[in-house]
Amino acid sequence: SGVYFQVTSNIDLDVSPYNTGAGWTPIGTGTGTTTRFYGNFDGNDLVISNLLINSSGTTYQGLFGSSVGSIIDLGLEDVSVTVNGSVASAYVGALVGRNYGTVTNSYVTGTVTSQRYNVGGMIGYNDGGTVTGSYTTTDVTAPIFIGGMFGSTSGTVSDVYATGAISGSNHSIGGLTGHLFGAGSITTSYATGTVSGPGSTGGLIGWLEDGDVSDSYATGDI
């Protein structure tokens, strides 16, 4: 904590070793409190493109695996994230697998696919974190707890939107988030993508277990 990073030019990850095999190794593994990202990451309104993740055996997948820190003003374009295997709560998101910190004024485009749970176009599980002024156009495919922005969220969300197509094979499938629970809140946000799944499927939220929603809407086909 207390350490600052700033992107100073656009970064294309379509180069070796990041574009072959398993691709990118996430920043912050999330397996313990000492291995999460605690710093401050300023995207400086620049873009990281062509993030590739092709993993079959590791949880906490994304540009950041697990973050307690701050991520601001970052564009993440043309991502290709594929995470398979048998572990249930894998926490898969193009930007952050599991977020305890803050994400502000950032966006993601591309595809996220997983056989696991808690899968989002930007964040797999927003675990009490704060996300504002951000969006995704990401297409997401997974079984349970899946959404255009979050797989699950128990944090504070405002002024965000998702436009990607969401396809789930089980339940808790939403255009913005698959699952809203705990003290989570969603304000002034929306989703416009097509959402498909066999159960607990909604244009904005798949399963609203608990939390507050205000001034938000969805327009996509379900």
Side-chain angles (χ1 to χ4, degrees):
S1 60
V3 178
Y4 289 79
F5 303 87
Q6 185 180 67
V7 179
T8 57
S9 63
N10 293 327
I11 298 172
D12 187 351
L13 293 176
D14 190 15
V15 294
S16 180
Y18 308 114
N19 62 352
T20 61
W24 179 257
T25 300
I27 301 167
T29 64
T31 54
T33 57
T34 60
T35 58
R36 299 167 183 162
F37 175 74
Y38 283 84
N40 301 274
F41 191 89
D42 179 5
N44 200 23
D45 292 320
L46 295 170
V47 172
I48 297 175
S49 59
N50 295 304
L51 171 73
L52 171 68
I53 294 176
N54 187 18
S55 172
S56 60
T58 308
T59 58
Y60 302 99
Q61 290 292 317
L63 181 70
F64 295 84
S66 180
S67 175
V68 187
S70 169
I71 302 168
I72 65 169
D73 298 334
L74 178 64
L76 199 57
E77 296 185 354
D78 298 324
V79 303
S80 177
V81 177
T82 303
V83 180
N84 295 316
S86 60
V87 178
S89 296
Y91 311 116
V92 179
L95 183 61
V96 187
R98 188 167 183 170
N99 178 57
Y100 303 88
T102 62
V103 175
T104 308
N105 296 336
S106 298
Y107 71 89
V108 179
T109 73
T111 60
V112 176
T113 303
S114 181
Q115 293 176 349
R116 302 188 183 183
Y117 307 168
N118 290 304
V119 180
M122 177 172 280
I123 296 170
Y125 175 20
N126 185 41
D127 191 353
T130 299
V131 181
T132 59
S134 300
Y135 72 90
T136 72
T137 65
T138 318
D139 294 334
V140 187
T141 304
I144 301 172
F145 303 131
I146 164 181
M149 179 72 71
F150 315 102
S152 298
T153 179
S154 60
T156 302
V157 176
S158 61
D159 300 313
V160 306
Y161 67 88
T163 65
I166 312 304
S167 177
S169 59
N170 202 309
H171 68 78
S172 302
I173 304 153
L176 191 72
T177 183
H179 187 203
L180 174 65
F181 67 105
S185 64
I186 296 175
T187 307
T188 54
S189 299
Y190 66 90
T192 63
T194 299
V195 183
S196 62
S200 301
T201 301
L204 190 72
I205 301 166
W207 177 20
L208 174 51
E209 181 179 3
D210 202 354
D212 297 313
V213 182
S214 61
D215 300 317
S216 300
Y217 66 91
T219 62
D221 292 336
I222 304 169

